[in-house]
Amino acid sequence: MAAQSELQLENNLIQQLVGLGYTAVKVPDATALVANLKSQLEAFNKTSYSNKEFDGILNHLEKGKVFEKAKTLRDRFSFIRENGEVCYVRFFDSENWNNNLFQVTNQISLEGSYKNRYDVTLLVNGLPLVQLELKRRGIEIKEAFNQINRYQLHSFWSTHGLFQYVQLFVISNGGNTKYLANNELQSVLQTFFWADKNNKRITEMPEFADAFLNIDHLGKMIAQYVVINETYKNMMVLRPYQYYATEAIIHQVKNTTENGYIWHTTGSGKTLTSFKASQILMDLPEVYKVVFVVDRKDLDYQTMKEFNAFKEGSVDTTENTTSLVHQFLGKFKDKKGVRKDSDLIITTIQKLNNAISGHNKTKLASLKNERFVFIFDECHRSQFGDTHARITEFFSNSQLFGFTGTPIFADNASKNDLGKRTTKDLFGNCLHKYVITDAIRDENVLRFGIEYIGKYKNKSQTFIDIEVEDIDKKEVLDSPKRLTKIADYIIAHHDQKTFSKAYSALFAVSSIDNLIKYYDIFQQKKEAGEHNLRIATIFTYGTNEDSTDAQDYLPDNAELSMAAEPQETYKRSHSRDKLEKYIGDYNTMYSTSYTTKDQQQFENYFKNISKRLKEREKITFNDEKDRLDIVIVVNMMLTGFDAKKVNTLYVDKNLKQHGLIQAFSRTNRILGDQKSQGNILCFRNLKKATDDAITLFSNKDAIEVVVMPDYEVIAEKFDEALKNLREITPTYQSVNDLATENDEAAFVQTFRRLLRNMNVLQSYSDFNWDDLPISEQEFTGYQGKYRDLYDKVRRANAKQKTSILADIDFELELIHSDTINVAYIFMLLAKLKNAKSSEAKAQKKAILDLLGGDTMLRSKRELIEKFIDENLPKIDDTDTIQDEFETYWQEQKVLALGKLCDEENLDKAQFKALIDTYIYSGQEPIKDDVFKCLDNRPSILKAREIGERILSKMKEYVQVFIEGMTG
């Protein structure tokens, strides 16, 4: 039986959608799209518009980009009709989503930079809100994703930018079907499978269409489950398990008075789920207020920031117990004195406890019987004392819902005065479950690459005499000799684990005393020139140094004052003085002015560390200036803290059960192709504790799913991938002999598999090129050929030529070898200068091959080759190579800028200033700023083309002369 073609897939889908209630319509081009929009908006709004009136509507719709248009879609537009009346236009009904008008069409052709024809488009009230890109069975689904990215670049902005109203994309090859929100600069990792309530994937297109694209469900997804993120200025869509959890809570509130809890594994996006549940619940008439409760002050701030990111101004946090009481009573005023009566409140459990105790209790007496819904974040931590009983007794008509990634069962329950109590005892039944194995299977979190470092790890590459296995003697574990060896190990392997500091790490230690020892050891070694790592630390008074749980907090209210000002509340003034000194080191590194002597400044210090780690993933983050490599903690940041650019956890403390899973999970957030796992380096034998914890929170068979296999297993996969590669191209030179694009595509896909394995292999401490059946030089040769094919595709795209390679994802992130920097090149040039004439030719080729295989330095290969040919022979002293090269580079930079400005008629000084701003801020200039550098502003028809061409040349100039030219 022949594979199903794209056309068959398309026709079958349209027929199915018509059966689901869509109206089929022919919309071949831009003119038809606009005409259909007019008639559909008229039908939806039950009116008609003159051509002039509709032009005004079109002008309104054209404003802004994807983010702004998502808001426009959900708003009303008012204008004055030709007869003088005020008219309101709605574009989408979010309250009664089945009232919208749903159509399906296919093969719409639009012309922007290039002419594109889209597969299947779902129109809602005439606007294209869902775009489906289909590939025949057997083709990578990534190709459909890459096609969408091209359309965004080439043509979605044309025809009044109507296709920028797309809320959701669906990509499918018939057998695999995924959905995603419409965002620029997105990754294929932000695409999701739909699933049923039991987390069983729905991958076949017919079943997906029935479950996801039926009018009621799709309308609800667009109305309620697409979230507009104000912080990142993008859209997010809930994943199936988030949807089912939210729906389960809503159903529970609408139909019962029972409580419940959600078990969603750490890293699966519980904040977004709880926000969406809170937002929908607060609009229910039967609910008086929704109270979101956290157990730490830092989470109070963090949650408020994230909630307000999802919906601006949706929530205010409570500064103190009095303000919480005022919020409950609807009397709260913000700092400007403006009264705010929010139906959604975020508070800490400590403030909530205070609010229903003592003299505050009488103030809230009138609310005892109101229908409050309390949602508890990380409910495994804070709900096992008296507070739970106080809340349920005081708010007698309330419902309580808990979110946790690691529930408390009988096996991991701690005993207190009230006995051993589980999550089920406190909250009732689990309403929805999504465990770590589900998340790893769905690629929503990464696996853990765990290495146990010590005597029992008797590999030549990792063996160091760290006394770790089954030792519980405190004097041995805390000995300066052992701590120094561990510090040396971290210094030696940190670049390998973090891709040369492209990612950050946490270091969890057993006590404040040991934290102080470690920090001082690292600092002494830094002053001695043994490393250049940027290390910070934070700890607070009150940490239980013997605790095995990863639970610490930025204390609330009075506790924070204790941590800050009164010196005697520290265990010893020594700890306080040390922390003050360490904050001073931080201030010196980053030009800040934090201190322990002021409550707010100490709190701001914690926030600044958090922000520094969290914001590394932003394009605008200045890594050279603001990077933080390692944060040493006892318990802080090991739970409830998420930063995608943290990929490594060093552990020198005993962890178990939920504390272990929570701590490990700081490293396994998804981010790009390069980050393949969360690295865990244990300097204690936590093997049994790890296996027990994984078994407790999933099942015994889950260990192989959650933990990366041993180095030897990955090495075997690498060998197999290399064997497959050599069957296609026995040597890297034989890539030149590939006859067709199909042959080239086979090489790209096979070498990409090898690259993925190499990316994982290099993260292991045991990695050694000598163990592999391919030399580093030969591997680099293959990389160069791989990049040549990528460049070929880029050139073809620029000339509007079609290529079957165009939609293959080359995953260039995997190629960047961070060890190749400018300092390394100077070393190679010196080696070449000193080489015998018989060796020089081979060494020169090795340098050029190395440059050709490196993403960052490839663009500089031609200029460096010119330096080798023309300048290097004239240099007598190898010590001057760096100075000579820098002089040469500066000359070439000036020449290149002059040539660019001459070609585009740009004012050199103005354009250089524009480039400098771009380099500093990382933000692409707006086209108006580019046009100010031109001698004559281009016509409207030419403006986009000229602006994009100049921006492209500017980026290429920066890539060649600036990026990668430090260090």
Side-chain angles (χ1 to χ4, degrees):
M1 182 178 171
Q4 189 180 34
S5 69
E6 280 183 40
L7 184 60
Q8 285 175 308
L9 187 61
E10 204 169 292
N11 289 337
N12 291 347
L13 176 61
I14 292 169
Q15 191 176 348
Q16 184 181 1
L17 291 173
V18 170
L20 290 171
Y22 289 78
T23 302
V25 60
K26 292 289 182 188
V27 183
D29 53 28
T31 304
L33 180 67
V34 173
N36 182 69
L37 174 63
K38 182 174 185 290
S39 64
Q40 289 294 291
L41 282 179
E42 287 174 337
F44 176 60
N45 287 280
K46 297 181 173 57
T47 187
S48 61
Y49 308 115
S50 69
N51 289 338
K52 184 178 178 182
E53 288 168 347
F54 184 64
D55 284 344
I57 294 170
L58 275 179
N59 287 337
H60 174 72
L61 288 171
E62 193 165 1
K63 292 173 184 172
K65 291 189 176 180
V66 171
F67 177 73
E68 290 78 21
K69 285 175 176 169
K71 292 181 174 181
T72 300
L73 175 70
R74 291 160 175 82
D75 287 341
R76 292 194 306 171
F77 171 58
S78 65
F79 68 94
I80 306 298
R81 304 197 76 137
E82 289 191 63
N83 63 8
E85 293 177 1
V86 176
C87 179
Y88 291 93
V89 185
R90 286 190 312 159
F91 303 108
F92 184 78
D93 187 343
S94 291
E95 292 180 12
N96 303 293
W97 47 83
N98 285 306
N99 290 344
N100 297 295
L101 307 176
F102 290 79
Q103 298 172 300
V104 57
T105 188
N106 67 323
Q107 298 297 311
I108 298 179
S109 289
L110 292 186
E111 190 153 357
S113 304
Y114 307 122
K115 188 170 185 177
N116 293 136
R117 184 181 286 114
Y118 314 138
D119 288 349
V120 177
T121 306
L122 306 186
L123 303 163
V124 183
N125 307 326
L127 285 168
L129 297 193
V130 181
Q131 178 61 33
L132 298 95
E133 283 305 316
L134 310 175
K135 294 291 178 186
R136 62 180 169 80
R137 288 180 185 269
I139 298 293
E140 277 190 332
I141 197 172
K142 265 188 176 182
E143 295 192 18
F145 172 80
N146 290 336
Q147 199 164 322
I148 284 169
N149 282 344
R150 284 211 319 280
Y151 291 164
Q152 284 177 321
L153 188 65
H154 293 163
S155 59
F156 277 174
W157 45 265
S158 66
T159 315
H160 308 285
L162 293 180
F163 266 83
Q164 291 180 324
Y165 279 92
V166 168
Q167 301 296 287
L168 297 172
F169 291 110
V170 175
I171 54 177
S172 180
N173 60 6
N176 274 331
T177 306
K178 301 179 87 174
Y179 70 101
L180 62 150
N182 180 11
N183 289 313
E184 297 175 359
L185 301 172
Q186 60 195 342
S187 155
V188 74
L189 296 170
Q190 292 160 306
T191 63
F192 315 123
F193 288 105
W194 190 247
D196 65 16
K197 286 181 182 177
N198 298 315
N199 305 314
K200 184 182 177 186
R201 285 182 182 176
I202 298 170
T203 60
E204 293 284 333
M205 184 44 129
E207 287 78 9
F208 177 88
D210 277 339
F212 191 89
L213 297 179
N214 72 77
I215 283 171
D216 181 57
H217 180 79
L218 183 65
K220 183 190 280 190
M221 288 299 293
I222 294 171
Q224 293 193 327
Y225 292 106
V226 170
V227 175
I228 298 169
N229 188 308
E230 294 286 348
T231 299
Y232 290 93
K233 305 295 180 196
N234 64 9
M235 285 189 288
M236 307 167 75
V237 60
L238 268 67
R239 303 170 196 194
Y241 58 90
Q242 295 173 312
Y243 167 84
Y244 290 121
T246 305
E247 290 282 300
I249 291 174
I250 293 163
H251 179 269
Q252 195 88 331
V253 172
K254 281 184 172 180
N255 298 288
T256 77
T257 56
E258 294 175 6
N259 303 329
Y261 75 95
I262 303 296
W263 174 7
H264 281 184
T265 191
T266 305
S268 59
K270 291 190 293 297
T271 303
L272 179 57
T273 313
S274 53
F275 163 76
K276 184 44 71 175
S278 302
Q279 188 187 38
I280 295 172
L281 289 173
M282 64 191 258
D283 290 334
L284 296 180
E286 58 263 48
V287 174
Y288 178 70
K289 283 187 189 296
V290 179
V291 184
F292 191 85
V293 186
V294 297
D295 68 341
R296 293 167 16 202
K297 185 164 185 174
D298 49 301
L299 287 183
D300 187 11
Y301 166 78
Q302 184 178 312
T303 308
M304 180 227 28
K305 200 172 175 187
E306 290 182 12
F307 272 30
N308 281 333
F310 301 146
K311 188 173 191 302
E312 204 165 17
S314 65
V315 67
D316 281 301
T317 52
T318 53
E319 298 258 326
N320 50 47
T321 303
T322 302
S323 67
L324 175 59
V325 170
H326 286 164
Q327 281 193 322
F328 275 135
L329 295 168
K331 298 177 180 178
F332 176 70
K333 293 181 180 179
D334 65 15
K335 290 177 181 177
K336 295 178 182 176
V338 178
R339 188 161 177 161
K340 287 192 172 182
D341 184 11
S342 176
D343 292 326
L344 176 57
I345 299 168
I346 296 179
T347 188
T348 62
I349 197 162
Q350 295 92 339
K351 285 197 233 23
L352 179 57
N353 186 44
N354 292 340
I356 55 176
S357 307
H359 68 281
N360 290 314
K361 198 172 179 179
T362 54
K363 294 179 185 177
L364 297 178
S366 61
L367 303 179
K368 280 177 66 70
N369 295 317
E370 293 288 358
R371 184 85 182 275
F372 279 90
V373 175
F374 291 93
I375 295 179
F376 291 88
D377 186 38
E378 304 291 359
C379 66
H380 61 272
R381 285 201 306 252
S382 58
Q383 279 296 296
F384 296 88
D386 294 327
T387 306
H388 184 94
R390 282 201 199 100
I391 294 167
T392 52
E393 285 169 15
F394 185 86
F395 295 104
S396 53
N397 195 26
S398 64
Q399 275 179 286
L400 279 63
F401 297 97
F403 277 80
T404 179
T406 49
I408 302 300
F409 303 114
D411 290 349
N412 64 319
S414 299
K415 195 171 183 179
N416 61 18
D417 294 340
L418 302 168
K420 277 193 170 189
R421 296 194 296 172
T422 66
T423 303
K424 184 175 182 180
D425 291 336
L426 291 174
F427 287 94
N429 291 327
C430 178
L431 302 181
H432 194 261
K433 185 165 77 169
Y434 185 77
V435 300
I436 190 167
T437 44
D438 296 320
I440 289 170
R441 179 205 61 206
D442 291 342
E443 298 181 340
N444 287 326
V445 299
L446 299 169
R447 297 165 82 182
F448 300 122
I450 305 174
E451 294 182 73
Y452 301 98
I453 312 300
K455 277 193 168 180
Y456 52 90
K457 183 73 174 176
N458 200 14
K459 287 261 178 182
S460 59
Q461 289 299 307
T462 58
F463 177 70
I464 51 174
D465 185 18
I466 300 173
E467 308 279 337
V468 294
E469 185 172 19
D470 299 328
I471 288 176
D472 57 7
K473 292 180 180 177
K474 196 170 186 303
E475 63 268 25
V476 176
L477 288 173
D478 296 350
S479 71
K481 181 182 175 185
R482 176 178 174 273
L483 304 191
T484 300
K485 285 180 178 178
I486 291 173
D488 286 338
Y489 190 89
I490 291 171
I491 290 166
H493 290 87
H494 184 78
D495 273 13
Q496 179 189 9
K497 294 296 173 188
T498 60
F499 297 96
S500 292
K501 305 182 188 72
Y503 295 83
S504 300
L506 298 176
F507 184 12
V509 303
S510 58
S511 66
I512 290 176
D513 282 346
N514 275 2
L515 181 151
I516 289 168
K517 290 176 190 173
Y518 269 122
Y519 187 94
D520 288 345
I521 290 167
F522 278 113
Q523 196 65 13
Q524 288 159 13
K525 288 180 176 291
K526 186 172 188 175
E527 289 166 4
E530 293 180 37
H531 72 86
N532 64 348
L533 295 170
R534 298 178 189 173
I535 297 174
T537 185
I538 184 165
F539 55 85
T540 63
Y541 175 78
T543 303
N544 178 358
E545 299 185 16
D546 299 320
S547 170
T548 56
D549 280 354
Q551 297 172 22
D552 191 18
Y553 49 85
L554 190 63
D556 192 13
N557 293 338
E559 293 179 17
L560 184 59
S561 301
M562 288 166 64
E565 185 53 39
Q567 191 163 325
E568 64 274 15
T569 58
Y570 277 79
K571 277 196 170 179
R572 294 183 302 276
S573 62
H574 171 69
S575 300
R576 159 75 181 281
D577 294 341
K578 283 287 189 180
L579 183 56
E580 183 68 20
K581 179 184 179 298
Y582 301 157
I583 293 175
D585 293 340
Y586 186 91
N587 290 335
T588 302
M589 263 195 300
Y590 299 113
S591 302
T592 51
S593 55
Y594 302 116
T595 177
T596 62
K597 297 174 184 177
D598 174 84
Q599 172 178 327
Q600 191 59 51
Q601 283 300 308
F602 180 69
E603 190 176 325
N604 289 344
Y605 171 62
F606 172 81
K607 289 177 182 177
N608 192 263
I609 289 176
S610 300
K611 183 180 179 185
R612 200 172 294 282
L613 294 178
K614 279 172 169 290
E615 295 197 347
R616 276 197 86 178
E617 67 189 83
K618 286 188 176 180
I619 298 172
T620 53
F621 187 84
N622 187 333
D623 219 60
E624 192 63 35
K625 177 170 163 280
D626 294 326
R627 186 191 81 245
L628 175 57
D629 296 315
I630 300 174
V631 183
I632 310 175
V633 297
V634 178
N635 289 318
M636 285 187 80
M637 306 179 88
L638 296 184
T639 178
F641 173 77
D642 293 335
K644 292 179 182 178
K645 275 280 190 171
V646 170
N647 81 330
T648 299
L649 175 71
Y650 303 112
V651 184
D652 185 23
K653 69 179 295 177
N654 295 325
L655 295 168
K656 67 179 183 180
Q657 297 170 335
H658 51 278
L660 182 145
I661 294 293
Q662 289 283 340
F664 283 17
S665 296
R666 297 315 102 209
T667 66
N668 72 339
R669 301 301 183 266
I670 298 279
L671 182 70
D673 296 312
Q674 189 181 61
K675 187 180 178 184
S676 55
Q677 76 264 350
N679 298 318
I680 313 293
L681 275 77
C682 296
F683 299 103
R684 300 190 181 199
N685 190 357
L686 301 180
K687 178 75 170 72
K688 185 178 186 303
T690 301
D691 292 350
D692 289 348
I694 292 168
T695 301
L696 179 65
F697 294 113
S698 44
N699 57 65
K700 190 176 179 182
D701 299 328
I703 295 166
E704 289 184 8
V705 178
V706 176
V707 179
M708 293 289 288
D710 289 342
Y711 175 80
E712 291 77 12
V713 176
I714 303 294
E716 283 177 17
K717 288 185 179 180
F718 179 88
D719 292 350
E720 186 182 338
L722 180 61
K723 181 184 171 188
N724 293 338
L725 176 70
R726 284 187 164 147
E727 285 172 2
I728 298 170
T729 49
T731 68
Y732 69 85
Q733 289 96 338
S734 52
V735 177
N736 300 335
D737 303 327
L738 296 172
T740 68
E741 279 203 336
N742 283 323
D743 295 335
E744 290 174 342
F747 163 74
V748 167
Q749 288 167 333
T750 308
F751 184 68
R752 188 180 63 189
R753 277 194 290 275
L754 192 72
L755 269 178
R756 288 172 182 164
N757 281 297
M758 175 60 80
N759 188 57
V760 177
L761 267 183
Q762 287 183 321
S763 72
Y764 285 79
S765 302
D766 290 337
F767 176 78
N768 190 330
W769 277 104
D770 295 340
D771 296 337
L772 302 182
I774 183 172
S775 69
E776 185 174 6
Q777 187 170 339
E778 187 184 359
F779 187 84
T780 303
Y782 275 113
Q783 273 190 178
K785 297 300 180 185
Y786 184 82
R787 277 302 309 247
D788 287 341
L789 287 175
Y790 174 74
D791 289 342
K792 172 186 168 183
V793 173
R794 284 181 65 191
R795 289 193 299 272
N797 285 344
K799 294 174 183 175
Q800 300 186 42
K801 292 181 180 176
T802 56
S803 165
I804 65 169
L805 297 172
D807 291 321
I808 293 177
D809 192 337
F810 279 74
E811 296 181 8
L812 291 184
E813 190 180 350
L814 298 175
I815 288 184
H816 181 41
S817 170
D818 296 278
T819 56
I820 306 172
N821 57 21
V822 178
Y824 185 61
I825 289 173
F826 291 148
M827 184 194 77
L828 293 178
L829 291 176
K831 191 176 174 185
L832 175 61
K833 179 66 183 174
N834 292 328
K836 296 175 184 175
S837 54
S838 58
E839 299 171 353
K841 187 176 179 182
Q843 283 196 17
K844 176 185 171 183
K845 183 178 183 302
I847 292 172
L848 297 178
D849 285 348
L850 194 66
L851 293 172
D854 183 82
T855 307
M856 186 70 77
L857 297 172
R858 183 182 178 86
S859 60
K860 312 167 201 329
R861 181 169 63 174
E862 191 178 314
L863 286 168
I864 293 173
E865 185 173 10
K866 184 180 176 186
F867 178 81
I868 291 171
D869 291 340
E870 297 178 10
N871 295 56
L872 197 61
K874 300 173 187 174
I875 298 172
D876 297 322
D877 183 357
T878 53
D879 288 341
T880 64
I881 286 177
Q882 181 171 344
D883 293 337
E884 293 289 343
F885 183 85
E886 286 172 356
T887 302
Y888 163 79
W889 201 254
Q890 193 58 36
E891 288 169 356
Q892 296 300 314
K893 198 160 109 177
V894 170
L895 288 170
L897 181 63
K899 184 183 176 192
L900 197 166
C901 291
D902 289 343
E903 287 173 353
E904 297 293 346
N905 298 313
L906 294 158
D907 180 277
K908 199 179 210 176
Q910 276 186 288
F911 192 62
K912 185 178 182 305
L914 195 69
I915 291 173
D916 291 342
T917 303
Y918 169 60
I919 293 165
Y920 177 77
S921 69
Q923 292 184 318
E924 185 179 300
I926 58 172
K927 291 197 175 69
D928 270 355
D929 288 342
V930 175
F931 296 150
K932 286 173 186 174
C933 303
L934 287 166
D935 295 339
N936 295 300
R937 188 181 178 91
S939 67
I940 292 172
L941 292 174
K942 291 277 187 181
R944 179 183 285 275
E945 179 192 336
I946 291 170
E948 286 181 354
R949 187 177 70 230
I950 293 172
L951 281 173
S952 176
K953 287 184 177 183
M954 182 190 80
K955 288 176 185 174
E956 188 178 341
Y957 172 85
V958 171
Q959 185 187 41
V960 171
F961 289 102
I962 310 299
E963 291 176 3
M965 295 308 291
T966 57

